[in-house]
mmCIF file of all heavy atoms in Angstrom:
data_model
loop_
_atom_site.group_PDB
_atom_site.id
_atom_site.type_symbol
_atom_site.label_atom_id
_atom_site.label_comp_id
_atom_site.label_asym_id
_atom_site.label_seq_id
_atom_site.Cartn_x
_atom_site.Cartn_y
_atom_site.Cartn_z
ATOM 1 N N LYS A 318 11.430 -10.031 13.110
ATOM 2 C CA LYS A 318 12.613 -10.768 12.645
ATOM 3 C C LYS A 318 12.247 -12.080 11.956
ATOM 4 O O LYS A 318 13.069 -12.654 11.240
ATOM 5 C CB LYS A 318 13.554 -11.058 13.822
ATOM 6 C CG LYS A 318 14.187 -9.807 14.430
ATOM 7 C CD LYS A 318 15.112 -10.158 15.570
ATOM 8 C CE LYS A 318 15.745 -8.920 16.177
ATOM 9 N NZ LYS A 318 16.678 -9.242 17.286
ATOM 10 N N VAL A 489 6.674 -15.585 19.582
ATOM 11 C CA VAL A 489 7.452 -15.827 18.365
ATOM 12 C C VAL A 489 8.038 -17.237 18.332
ATOM 13 O O VAL A 489 8.249 -17.800 17.252
ATOM 14 C CB VAL A 489 8.551 -14.755 18.216
ATOM 15 C CG1 VAL A 489 9.645 -14.943 19.250
ATOM 16 C CG2 VAL A 489 9.143 -14.760 16.820
ATOM 17 N N ASP A 490 8.284 -17.849 19.522
ATOM 18 C CA ASP A 490 8.886 -19.188 19.507
ATOM 19 C C ASP A 490 7.940 -20.261 18.973
ATOM 20 O O ASP A 490 8.364 -21.380 18.685
ATOM 21 C CB ASP A 490 9.421 -19.581 20.885
ATOM 22 C CG ASP A 490 8.396 -19.470 21.993
ATOM 23 O OD1 ASP A 490 7.360 -18.811 21.789
ATOM 24 O OD2 ASP A 490 8.629 -20.045 23.073
ATOM 25 N N PHE A 493 8.979 -22.009 15.883
ATOM 26 C CA PHE A 493 10.101 -22.958 15.897
ATOM 27 C C PHE A 493 9.801 -24.187 16.754
ATOM 28 O O PHE A 493 10.708 -24.777 17.335
ATOM 29 C CB PHE A 493 11.360 -22.248 16.421
ATOM 30 C CG PHE A 493 11.692 -20.978 15.705
ATOM 31 C CD1 PHE A 493 11.360 -19.743 16.263
ATOM 32 C CD2 PHE A 493 12.309 -20.995 14.462
ATOM 33 C CE1 PHE A 493 11.657 -18.559 15.603
ATOM 34 C CE2 PHE A 493 12.606 -19.809 13.796
ATOM 35 C CZ PHE A 493 12.271 -18.594 14.369
ATOM 36 N N TYR A 496 11.863 -27.421 16.670
ATOM 37 C CA TYR A 496 13.229 -27.457 17.203
ATOM 38 C C TYR A 496 13.204 -27.862 18.682
ATOM 39 O O TYR A 496 12.335 -27.403 19.433
ATOM 40 C CB TYR A 496 13.907 -26.098 17.087
ATOM 41 C CG TYR A 496 14.116 -25.590 15.676
ATOM 42 C CD1 TYR A 496 14.386 -24.244 15.443
ATOM 43 C CD2 TYR A 496 14.060 -26.438 14.575
ATOM 44 C CE1 TYR A 496 14.588 -23.753 14.160
ATOM 45 C CE2 TYR A 496 14.262 -25.954 13.292
ATOM 46 C CZ TYR A 496 14.517 -24.616 13.096
ATOM 47 O OH TYR A 496 14.713 -24.135 11.823
ATOM 48 N N PRO A 497 14.155 -28.688 19.123
ATOM 49 C CA PRO A 497 14.242 -29.022 20.550
ATOM 50 C C PRO A 497 14.507 -27.765 21.384
ATOM 51 O O PRO A 497 15.097 -26.797 20.906
ATOM 52 C CB PRO A 497 15.446 -29.973 20.607
ATOM 53 C CG PRO A 497 15.630 -30.479 19.224
ATOM 54 C CD PRO A 497 15.176 -29.379 18.317
ATOM 55 N N LYS A 498 14.054 -27.814 22.630
ATOM 56 C CA LYS A 498 14.199 -26.679 23.544
ATOM 57 C C LYS A 498 15.342 -26.926 24.521
ATOM 58 O O LYS A 498 15.486 -28.028 25.049
ATOM 59 C CB LYS A 498 12.884 -26.491 24.313
ATOM 60 C CG LYS A 498 12.912 -25.427 25.381
ATOM 61 C CD LYS A 498 11.552 -25.373 26.082
ATOM 62 C CE LYS A 498 11.550 -24.347 27.194
ATOM 63 N NZ LYS A 498 10.214 -24.269 27.854
ATOM 64 N N ILE A 499 16.165 -25.902 24.747
ATOM 65 C CA ILE A 499 17.208 -25.998 25.770
ATOM 66 C C ILE A 499 17.177 -24.752 26.652
ATOM 67 O O ILE A 499 16.829 -23.659 26.201
ATOM 68 C CB ILE A 499 18.630 -26.172 25.160
ATOM 69 C CG1 ILE A 499 18.982 -25.008 24.221
ATOM 70 C CG2 ILE A 499 18.756 -27.507 24.449
ATOM 71 C CD1 ILE A 499 20.413 -25.077 23.704
ATOM 72 N N LEU A 501 19.464 -22.373 29.402
ATOM 73 C CA LEU A 501 20.832 -22.044 29.761
ATOM 74 C C LEU A 501 20.878 -21.403 31.148
ATOM 75 O O LEU A 501 19.924 -20.735 31.558
ATOM 76 C CB LEU A 501 21.434 -21.072 28.738
ATOM 77 C CG LEU A 501 21.447 -21.519 27.262
ATOM 78 C CD1 LEU A 501 22.112 -20.449 26.411
ATOM 79 C CD2 LEU A 501 22.143 -22.860 27.086
ATOM 80 N N VAL A 506 23.886 -17.780 29.405
ATOM 81 C CA VAL A 506 23.077 -16.733 28.780
ATOM 82 C C VAL A 506 23.945 -15.518 28.464
ATOM 83 O O VAL A 506 23.841 -14.929 27.379
ATOM 84 C CB VAL A 506 21.896 -16.322 29.695
ATOM 85 C CG1 VAL A 506 21.228 -15.048 29.179
ATOM 86 C CG2 VAL A 506 20.879 -17.450 29.783
ATOM 87 N N VAL A 509 26.001 -16.267 25.373
ATOM 88 C CA VAL A 509 25.200 -16.275 24.144
ATOM 89 C C VAL A 509 24.825 -14.854 23.735
ATOM 90 O O VAL A 509 24.944 -14.469 22.565
ATOM 91 C CB VAL A 509 23.934 -17.145 24.325
ATOM 92 C CG1 VAL A 509 22.943 -16.911 23.190
ATOM 93 C CG2 VAL A 509 24.314 -18.620 24.362
ATOM 94 N N THR A 510 24.349 -14.051 24.692
ATOM 95 C CA THR A 510 23.899 -12.690 24.370
ATOM 96 C C THR A 510 25.056 -11.753 24.042
ATOM 97 O O THR A 510 24.846 -10.691 23.461
ATOM 98 C CB THR A 510 23.054 -12.103 25.515
ATOM 99 O OG1 THR A 510 23.793 -12.172 26.742
ATOM 100 C CG2 THR A 510 21.741 -12.855 25.656
ATOM 101 N N SER A 524 19.313 -27.362 15.074
ATOM 102 C CA SER A 524 18.938 -26.040 15.581
ATOM 103 C C SER A 524 18.103 -26.211 16.844
ATOM 104 O O SER A 524 17.312 -27.153 16.958
ATOM 105 C CB SER A 524 18.145 -25.265 14.527
ATOM 106 O OG SER A 524 18.957 -24.948 13.421
ATOM 107 N N TYR A 525 18.269 -25.283 17.786
ATOM 108 C CA TYR A 525 17.583 -25.353 19.067
ATOM 109 C C TYR A 525 16.889 -24.038 19.395
ATOM 110 O O TYR A 525 17.354 -22.958 19.020
ATOM 111 C CB TYR A 525 18.581 -25.659 20.195
ATOM 112 C CG TYR A 525 19.161 -27.055 20.157
ATOM 113 C CD1 TYR A 525 20.329 -27.320 19.430
ATOM 114 C CD2 TYR A 525 18.566 -28.097 20.855
ATOM 115 C CE1 TYR A 525 20.877 -28.603 19.393
ATOM 116 C CE2 TYR A 525 19.102 -29.378 20.832
ATOM 117 C CZ TYR A 525 20.253 -29.630 20.097
ATOM 118 O OH TYR A 525 20.791 -30.893 20.070
ATOM 119 N N ARG A 526 15.765 -24.154 20.133
ATOM 120 C CA ARG A 526 15.159 -22.980 20.769
ATOM 121 C C ARG A 526 15.875 -22.782 22.093
ATOM 122 O O ARG A 526 15.920 -23.700 22.922
ATOM 123 C CB ARG A 526 13.664 -23.219 21.032
ATOM 124 C CG ARG A 526 12.788 -23.220 19.797
ATOM 125 C CD ARG A 526 11.346 -23.537 20.168
ATOM 126 N NE ARG A 526 11.177 -24.936 20.540
ATOM 127 C CZ ARG A 526 10.377 -25.367 21.516
ATOM 128 N NH1 ARG A 526 9.686 -24.523 22.242
ATOM 129 N NH2 ARG A 526 10.277 -26.654 21.765
ATOM 130 N N VAL A 527 16.400 -21.601 22.301
ATOM 131 C CA VAL A 527 17.215 -21.344 23.478
ATOM 132 C C VAL A 527 16.480 -20.401 24.439
ATOM 133 O O VAL A 527 15.999 -19.337 24.037
ATOM 134 C CB VAL A 527 18.574 -20.731 23.089
ATOM 135 C CG1 VAL A 527 19.429 -20.497 24.327
ATOM 136 C CG2 VAL A 527 19.309 -21.641 22.098
ATOM 137 N N TYR A 528 16.409 -20.810 25.730
ATOM 138 C CA TYR A 528 15.717 -20.048 26.763
ATOM 139 C C TYR A 528 16.645 -19.812 27.951
ATOM 140 O O TYR A 528 17.615 -20.560 28.154
ATOM 141 C CB TYR A 528 14.485 -20.807 27.260
ATOM 142 C CG TYR A 528 13.433 -21.057 26.208
ATOM 143 C CD1 TYR A 528 13.592 -22.068 25.254
ATOM 144 C CD2 TYR A 528 12.271 -20.291 26.157
ATOM 145 C CE1 TYR A 528 12.618 -22.304 24.289
ATOM 146 C CE2 TYR A 528 11.287 -20.525 25.195
ATOM 147 C CZ TYR A 528 11.475 -21.527 24.266
ATOM 148 O OH TYR A 528 10.517 -21.752 23.311
ATOM 149 N N ASP A 529 16.311 -18.774 28.749
ATOM 150 C CA ASP A 529 17.039 -18.594 29.999
ATOM 151 C C ASP A 529 16.325 -19.377 31.102
ATOM 152 O O ASP A 529 15.319 -20.064 30.855
ATOM 153 C CB ASP A 529 17.189 -17.111 30.352
ATOM 154 C CG ASP A 529 15.857 -16.418 30.632
ATOM 155 O OD1 ASP A 529 14.835 -17.115 30.850
ATOM 156 O OD2 ASP A 529 15.828 -15.176 30.642
ATOM 157 N N ASN A 533 12.414 -17.369 29.373
ATOM 158 C CA ASN A 533 12.323 -16.320 28.360
ATOM 159 C C ASN A 533 13.025 -16.799 27.092
ATOM 160 O O ASN A 533 14.175 -17.249 27.151
ATOM 161 C CB ASN A 533 12.987 -15.032 28.845
ATOM 162 C CG ASN A 533 12.268 -14.422 30.033
ATOM 163 O OD1 ASN A 533 11.064 -14.243 30.005
ATOM 164 N ND2 ASN A 533 13.012 -14.119 31.092
ATOM 165 N N PHE A 534 12.331 -16.710 25.968
ATOM 166 C CA PHE A 534 12.904 -17.136 24.694
ATOM 167 C C PHE A 534 13.988 -16.155 24.268
ATOM 168 O O PHE A 534 13.756 -14.950 24.188
ATOM 169 C CB PHE A 534 11.801 -17.197 23.638
ATOM 170 C CG PHE A 534 12.262 -17.610 22.265
ATOM 171 C CD1 PHE A 534 13.017 -18.753 22.067
ATOM 172 C CD2 PHE A 534 11.915 -16.848 21.152
ATOM 173 C CE1 PHE A 534 13.427 -19.137 20.797
ATOM 174 C CE2 PHE A 534 12.313 -17.224 19.874
ATOM 175 C CZ PHE A 534 13.073 -18.370 19.701
ATOM 176 N N LEU A 535 15.165 -16.685 23.986
ATOM 177 C CA LEU A 535 16.310 -15.834 23.653
ATOM 178 C C LEU A 535 16.645 -15.837 22.170
ATOM 179 O O LEU A 535 16.832 -14.784 21.562
ATOM 180 C CB LEU A 535 17.551 -16.291 24.435
ATOM 181 C CG LEU A 535 17.477 -16.223 25.949
ATOM 182 C CD1 LEU A 535 18.758 -16.810 26.548
ATOM 183 C CD2 LEU A 535 17.271 -14.792 26.420
ATOM 184 N N CYS A 536 16.731 -17.038 21.590
ATOM 185 C CA CYS A 536 17.256 -17.112 20.229
ATOM 186 C C CYS A 536 17.093 -18.517 19.653
ATOM 187 O O CYS A 536 16.690 -19.451 20.346
ATOM 188 C CB CYS A 536 18.734 -16.729 20.213
ATOM 189 S SG CYS A 536 19.787 -17.807 21.232
ATOM 190 N N ILE A 537 17.465 -18.614 18.383
ATOM 191 C CA ILE A 537 17.648 -19.909 17.726
ATOM 192 C C ILE A 537 19.148 -20.066 17.507
ATOM 193 O O ILE A 537 19.804 -19.181 16.941
ATOM 194 C CB ILE A 537 16.906 -19.967 16.377
ATOM 195 C CG1 ILE A 537 15.393 -19.865 16.585
ATOM 196 C CG2 ILE A 537 17.247 -21.251 15.622
ATOM 197 C CD1 ILE A 537 14.776 -21.010 17.355
ATOM 198 N N SER A 538 19.677 -21.160 18.005
ATOM 199 C CA SER A 538 21.104 -21.440 17.828
ATOM 200 C C SER A 538 21.287 -22.843 17.268
ATOM 201 O O SER A 538 20.417 -23.707 17.430
ATOM 202 C CB SER A 538 21.860 -21.308 19.150
ATOM 203 O OG SER A 538 21.898 -19.968 19.581
ATOM 204 N N LYS A 539 22.413 -23.044 16.621
ATOM 205 C CA LYS A 539 22.685 -24.320 15.946
ATOM 206 C C LYS A 539 24.020 -24.885 16.408
ATOM 207 O O LYS A 539 24.978 -24.134 16.608
ATOM 208 C CB LYS A 539 22.715 -24.075 14.438
ATOM 209 C CG LYS A 539 22.757 -25.316 13.572
ATOM 210 C CD LYS A 539 22.683 -24.895 12.103
ATOM 211 C CE LYS A 539 22.474 -26.065 11.185
ATOM 212 N NZ LYS A 539 22.320 -25.631 9.776
ATOM 213 N N LEU A 545 27.631 -23.946 20.169
ATOM 214 C CA LEU A 545 26.310 -23.369 19.978
ATOM 215 C C LEU A 545 26.472 -22.043 19.242
ATOM 216 O O LEU A 545 26.988 -21.063 19.783
ATOM 217 C CB LEU A 545 25.646 -23.154 21.337
ATOM 218 C CG LEU A 545 24.115 -23.085 21.395
ATOM 219 C CD1 LEU A 545 23.484 -24.352 20.831
ATOM 220 C CD2 LEU A 545 23.652 -22.850 22.827
ATOM 221 N N LYS A 546 26.048 -22.022 17.971
ATOM 222 C CA LYS A 546 26.237 -20.847 17.123
ATOM 223 C C LYS A 546 24.900 -20.138 16.905
ATOM 224 O O LYS A 546 23.912 -20.746 16.507
ATOM 225 C CB LYS A 546 26.824 -21.271 15.770
ATOM 226 C CG LYS A 546 27.133 -20.101 14.845
ATOM 227 C CD LYS A 546 27.743 -20.587 13.545
ATOM 228 C CE LYS A 546 28.044 -19.436 12.603
ATOM 229 N NZ LYS A 546 28.605 -19.909 11.305
ATOM 230 N N LEU A 547 24.866 -18.844 17.182
ATOM 231 C CA LEU A 547 23.643 -18.046 17.057
ATOM 232 C C LEU A 547 23.175 -17.982 15.604
ATOM 233 O O LEU A 547 23.951 -17.681 14.700
ATOM 234 C CB LEU A 547 23.909 -16.624 17.574
ATOM 235 C CG LEU A 547 22.747 -15.636 17.459
ATOM 236 C CD1 LEU A 547 21.612 -16.027 18.389
ATOM 237 C CD2 LEU A 547 23.220 -14.219 17.754
ATOM 238 N N GLU A 548 21.882 -18.244 15.387
ATOM 239 C CA GLU A 548 21.271 -18.111 14.056
ATOM 240 C C GLU A 548 20.380 -16.864 13.971
ATOM 241 O O GLU A 548 20.428 -16.134 13.011
ATOM 242 C CB GLU A 548 20.443 -19.366 13.728
ATOM 243 C CG GLU A 548 21.261 -20.586 13.412
ATOM 244 C CD GLU A 548 20.427 -21.692 12.813
ATOM 245 O OE1 GLU A 548 19.462 -22.126 13.457
ATOM 246 O OE2 GLU A 548 20.735 -22.122 11.688
ATOM 247 N N LYS A 549 19.550 -16.659 15.010
ATOM 248 C CA LYS A 549 18.665 -15.498 15.032
ATOM 249 C C LYS A 549 18.328 -15.160 16.480
ATOM 250 O O LYS A 549 17.868 -16.018 17.223
ATOM 251 C CB LYS A 549 17.380 -15.772 14.231
ATOM 252 C CG LYS A 549 16.589 -14.505 13.895
ATOM 253 C CD LYS A 549 15.389 -14.832 13.039
ATOM 254 C CE LYS A 549 15.701 -15.018 11.576
ATOM 255 N NZ LYS A 549 15.903 -13.745 10.850
ATOM 256 N N SER A 550 18.568 -13.911 16.850
ATOM 257 C CA SER A 550 18.325 -13.499 18.248
ATOM 258 C C SER A 550 16.963 -12.834 18.397
ATOM 259 O O SER A 550 16.463 -12.192 17.470
ATOM 260 C CB SER A 550 19.418 -12.530 18.702
ATOM 261 O OG SER A 550 19.336 -11.307 18.000
ATOM 262 N N PHE A 551 16.383 -12.974 19.607
ATOM 263 C CA PHE A 551 15.082 -12.365 19.903
ATOM 264 C C PHE A 551 15.071 -11.699 21.283
ATOM 265 O O PHE A 551 14.017 -11.432 21.824
ATOM 266 C CB PHE A 551 13.978 -13.425 19.834
ATOM 267 C CG PHE A 551 13.794 -14.000 18.458
ATOM 268 C CD1 PHE A 551 14.391 -15.207 18.110
ATOM 269 C CD2 PHE A 551 13.044 -13.335 17.497
ATOM 270 C CE1 PHE A 551 14.233 -15.742 16.843
ATOM 271 C CE2 PHE A 551 12.892 -13.864 16.238
ATOM 272 C CZ PHE A 551 13.486 -15.069 15.902
ATOM 273 N N TRP A 552 16.244 -11.435 21.830
ATOM 274 C CA TRP A 552 16.265 -10.854 23.179
ATOM 275 C C TRP A 552 16.112 -9.337 23.181
ATOM 276 O O TRP A 552 15.965 -8.734 24.215
ATOM 277 C CB TRP A 552 17.524 -11.258 23.954
ATOM 278 C CG TRP A 552 18.824 -10.908 23.280
ATOM 279 C CD1 TRP A 552 19.402 -9.678 23.185
ATOM 280 C CD2 TRP A 552 19.700 -11.823 22.624
ATOM 281 N NE1 TRP A 552 20.588 -9.759 22.502
ATOM 282 C CE2 TRP A 552 20.807 -11.076 22.152
ATOM 283 C CE3 TRP A 552 19.677 -13.204 22.404
ATOM 284 C CZ2 TRP A 552 21.852 -11.647 21.468
ATOM 285 C CZ3 TRP A 552 20.729 -13.770 21.731
ATOM 286 C CH2 TRP A 552 21.801 -13.013 21.258
ATOM 287 N N ASN A 553 16.153 -8.709 21.999
ATOM 288 C CA ASN A 553 15.951 -7.259 21.954
ATOM 289 C C ASN A 553 14.608 -6.931 21.338
ATOM 290 O O ASN A 553 14.144 -7.623 20.465
ATOM 291 C CB ASN A 553 17.053 -6.594 21.104
ATOM 292 C CG ASN A 553 18.408 -6.709 21.762
ATOM 293 O OD1 ASN A 553 18.503 -6.639 22.991
ATOM 294 N ND2 ASN A 553 19.453 -6.882 20.983
#
Side-chain angles (χ1 to χ4, degrees):
K318 294 181 180 181
V489 71
D490 54 344
F493 307 100
Y496 297 163
K498 175 181 178 179
I499 58 175
L501 303 182
V506 168
V509 167
T510 55
S524 293
Y525 291 89
R526 288 177 288 142
V527 181
Y528 298 77
D529 65 16
N533 295 310
F534 179 51
L535 298 176
C536 60
I537 295 296
S538 292
K539 190 176 190 176
L545 203 58
K546 183 178 179 182
L547 177 68
E548 287 192 302
K549 195 177 280 283
S550 67
F551 295 97
W552 57 75
N553 293 324

